[in-house]
Short mmCIF file of all heavy atoms in Angstrom, two decimals:
data_model
loop_
_atom_site.label_atom_id
_atom_site.label_comp_id
_atom_site.label_asym_id
_atom_site.label_seq_id
_atom_site.Cartn_x
_atom_site.Cartn_y
_atom_site.Cartn_z
N HIS A 182 0.00 4.43 17.04
CA HIS A 182 -1.06 4.67 18.01
C HIS A 182 -2.38 4.05 17.59
O HIS A 182 -3.38 4.17 18.30
CB HIS A 182 -1.24 6.17 18.23
CG HIS A 182 -1.56 6.93 16.97
ND1 HIS A 182 -0.65 7.74 16.34
CD2 HIS A 182 -2.67 6.97 16.20
CE1 HIS A 182 -1.21 8.24 15.24
NE2 HIS A 182 -2.43 7.78 15.14
N GLU A 217 -2.26 -3.94 22.08
CA GLU A 217 -1.61 -2.85 22.81
C GLU A 217 -0.88 -1.97 21.82
O GLU A 217 0.11 -2.39 21.21
CB GLU A 217 -0.62 -3.41 23.84
CG GLU A 217 -1.30 -4.07 25.02
CD GLU A 217 -0.33 -4.23 26.18
OE1 GLU A 217 0.46 -3.30 26.44
OE2 GLU A 217 -0.36 -5.30 26.81
N ASN A 219 1.25 1.65 20.76
CA ASN A 219 2.36 2.42 21.33
C ASN A 219 3.43 1.54 21.97
O ASN A 219 4.15 1.99 22.86
CB ASN A 219 1.86 3.43 22.38
CG ASN A 219 0.94 4.48 21.79
OD1 ASN A 219 1.19 4.98 20.71
ND2 ASN A 219 -0.15 4.78 22.49
N LYS A 224 12.36 -1.65 21.32
CA LYS A 224 12.59 -0.41 22.07
C LYS A 224 11.86 -0.43 23.42
O LYS A 224 12.48 -0.36 24.46
CB LYS A 224 12.11 0.80 21.25
CG LYS A 224 12.91 1.06 19.99
CD LYS A 224 14.25 1.69 20.32
CE LYS A 224 15.03 2.08 19.08
NZ LYS A 224 16.38 2.57 19.39
N THR A 225 10.53 -0.51 23.37
CA THR A 225 9.75 -0.50 24.61
C THR A 225 9.95 -1.82 25.35
O THR A 225 10.16 -1.85 26.56
CB THR A 225 8.25 -0.32 24.30
OG1 THR A 225 8.09 0.69 23.31
CG2 THR A 225 7.48 0.08 25.55
N GLU A 255 16.91 15.58 -3.08
CA GLU A 255 15.97 14.74 -2.35
C GLU A 255 15.53 15.37 -1.03
O GLU A 255 14.45 15.07 -0.52
CB GLU A 255 16.62 13.38 -2.07
CG GLU A 255 15.67 12.38 -1.47
CD GLU A 255 16.06 10.95 -1.75
OE1 GLU A 255 17.26 10.68 -1.90
OE2 GLU A 255 15.16 10.11 -1.82
N ASN A 256 16.35 16.26 -0.48
CA ASN A 256 15.98 16.88 0.79
C ASN A 256 15.32 18.25 0.63
O ASN A 256 15.11 18.96 1.61
CB ASN A 256 17.21 16.99 1.70
CG ASN A 256 17.66 15.61 2.18
OD1 ASN A 256 16.86 14.69 2.27
ND2 ASN A 256 18.94 15.46 2.43
N LYS A 258 12.31 20.88 0.21
CA LYS A 258 10.95 20.87 0.75
C LYS A 258 9.97 20.51 -0.37
O LYS A 258 10.14 20.94 -1.51
CB LYS A 258 10.62 22.25 1.33
CG LYS A 258 11.40 22.55 2.60
CD LYS A 258 11.17 23.97 3.08
CE LYS A 258 11.89 24.98 2.19
NZ LYS A 258 11.79 26.36 2.69
N VAL A 260 9.49 17.32 -1.12
CA VAL A 260 9.87 15.98 -1.56
C VAL A 260 9.54 14.99 -0.44
O VAL A 260 9.97 15.17 0.70
CB VAL A 260 11.37 15.90 -1.91
CG1 VAL A 260 11.72 14.49 -2.40
CG2 VAL A 260 11.72 16.94 -2.97
N TYR A 261 8.78 13.98 -0.77
CA TYR A 261 8.34 12.99 0.21
C TYR A 261 8.72 11.58 -0.21
O TYR A 261 8.71 11.25 -1.40
CB TYR A 261 6.80 12.99 0.31
CG TYR A 261 6.16 14.18 0.98
CD1 TYR A 261 5.48 15.13 0.23
CD2 TYR A 261 6.19 14.32 2.36
CE1 TYR A 261 4.85 16.20 0.83
CE2 TYR A 261 5.55 15.39 2.97
CZ TYR A 261 4.89 16.32 2.22
OH TYR A 261 4.26 17.37 2.82
N ASN A 264 5.85 6.62 2.01
CA ASN A 264 5.40 6.30 3.36
C ASN A 264 5.02 7.55 4.14
O ASN A 264 4.03 7.56 4.86
CB ASN A 264 6.53 5.58 4.13
CG ASN A 264 6.45 4.08 3.98
OD1 ASN A 264 5.59 3.55 3.28
ND2 ASN A 264 7.35 3.38 4.65
N ASN A 405 12.55 -2.87 7.99
CA ASN A 405 12.94 -1.92 9.02
C ASN A 405 13.76 -2.67 10.07
O ASN A 405 13.30 -3.65 10.64
CB ASN A 405 11.68 -1.33 9.66
CG ASN A 405 12.01 -0.19 10.61
OD1 ASN A 405 13.00 -0.23 11.33
ND2 ASN A 405 11.18 0.83 10.59
N ARG B 23 6.85 0.76 31.31
CA ARG B 23 7.74 0.07 30.37
C ARG B 23 8.80 1.01 29.83
O ARG B 23 9.95 0.63 29.66
CB ARG B 23 6.92 -0.50 29.22
CG ARG B 23 6.10 -1.72 29.60
CD ARG B 23 5.28 -2.10 28.39
NE ARG B 23 4.47 -3.27 28.64
CZ ARG B 23 3.35 -3.52 27.98
NH1 ARG B 23 2.92 -2.67 27.06
NH2 ARG B 23 2.66 -4.60 28.22
N ARG B 44 1.66 13.78 16.09
CA ARG B 44 2.59 13.00 16.91
C ARG B 44 3.78 13.90 17.23
O ARG B 44 4.48 14.36 16.33
CB ARG B 44 3.04 11.75 16.16
CG ARG B 44 1.92 10.71 15.96
CD ARG B 44 2.35 9.61 15.00
NE ARG B 44 3.47 8.82 15.49
CZ ARG B 44 3.34 7.73 16.27
NH1 ARG B 44 2.14 7.31 16.61
NH2 ARG B 44 4.41 7.06 16.66
N ASP B 84 -1.50 8.88 23.99
CA ASP B 84 -0.42 8.06 23.43
C ASP B 84 0.95 8.53 23.90
O ASP B 84 1.26 9.72 23.81
CB ASP B 84 -0.44 8.14 21.90
CG ASP B 84 -1.78 7.70 21.31
OD1 ASP B 84 -2.12 6.52 21.50
OD2 ASP B 84 -2.46 8.53 20.68
N GLY B 87 7.61 4.80 23.10
CA GLY B 87 9.06 4.91 23.19
C GLY B 87 9.62 3.83 24.10
O GLY B 87 8.90 2.89 24.43
N GLY B 90 14.81 6.29 19.35
CA GLY B 90 16.13 6.86 19.05
C GLY B 90 17.25 6.10 19.71
O GLY B 90 17.03 5.20 20.53
N THR B 220 9.94 5.74 14.08
CA THR B 220 10.49 4.38 14.03
C THR B 220 11.24 4.10 12.73
O THR B 220 11.54 2.96 12.40
CB THR B 220 9.38 3.32 14.19
OG1 THR B 220 8.48 3.42 13.06
CG2 THR B 220 8.59 3.52 15.45
N MET B 222 10.08 4.70 9.71
CA MET B 222 9.17 4.23 8.68
C MET B 222 8.92 5.27 7.59
O MET B 222 8.77 4.91 6.43
CB MET B 222 7.86 3.81 9.34
CG MET B 222 6.85 3.17 8.45
SD MET B 222 5.69 4.37 7.82
CE MET B 222 4.57 4.49 9.19
N GLY B 225 10.66 11.18 7.01
CA GLY B 225 10.46 12.62 7.05
C GLY B 225 11.53 13.37 7.82
O GLY B 225 11.80 14.53 7.55
N ARG B 227 14.68 12.98 7.79
CA ARG B 227 16.02 12.78 7.25
C ARG B 227 16.86 14.05 7.34
O ARG B 227 16.38 15.15 7.13
CB ARG B 227 15.97 12.25 5.83
CG ARG B 227 15.25 13.12 4.83
CD ARG B 227 15.06 12.35 3.52
NE ARG B 227 14.42 13.16 2.49
CZ ARG B 227 13.11 13.30 2.35
NH1 ARG B 227 12.30 12.71 3.20
NH2 ARG B 227 12.61 14.04 1.38
N GLU B 229 21.08 15.47 6.58
CA GLU B 229 22.33 15.12 5.90
C GLU B 229 23.47 15.18 6.90
O GLU B 229 23.74 16.22 7.49
CB GLU B 229 22.57 16.07 4.74
CG GLU B 229 21.89 15.59 3.46
CD GLU B 229 22.19 16.51 2.28
OE1 GLU B 229 23.38 16.72 1.98
OE2 GLU B 229 21.21 17.00 1.69
N THR B 259 11.23 24.63 8.03
CA THR B 259 10.27 25.67 7.64
C THR B 259 9.19 25.14 6.69
O THR B 259 8.34 25.89 6.22
CB THR B 259 10.98 26.84 6.93
OG1 THR B 259 11.51 26.36 5.68
CG2 THR B 259 12.10 27.41 7.77
N TYR B 261 6.45 23.58 6.91
CA TYR B 261 5.02 23.75 7.20
C TYR B 261 4.74 25.09 7.88
O TYR B 261 3.76 25.23 8.60
CB TYR B 261 4.53 22.58 8.06
CG TYR B 261 4.70 21.27 7.34
CD1 TYR B 261 5.73 20.40 7.67
CD2 TYR B 261 3.88 20.94 6.25
CE1 TYR B 261 5.92 19.22 6.97
CE2 TYR B 261 4.07 19.77 5.55
CZ TYR B 261 5.08 18.91 5.92
OH TYR B 261 5.27 17.76 5.22
#
Side-chain angles (χ1 to χ4, degrees):
Chain A
H182 58 254
E217 288 197 41
N219 297 318
K224 293 284 185 186
T225 317
E255 187 155 29
N256 291 333
K258 290 174 286 185
V260 181
Y261 288 106
N264 269 2
N405 188 322
Chain B
R23 286 176 179 154
R44 291 170 64 88
D84 302 297
T220 64
M222 186 266 278
R227 58 190 183 274
E229 273 183 56
T259 66
Y261 299 104

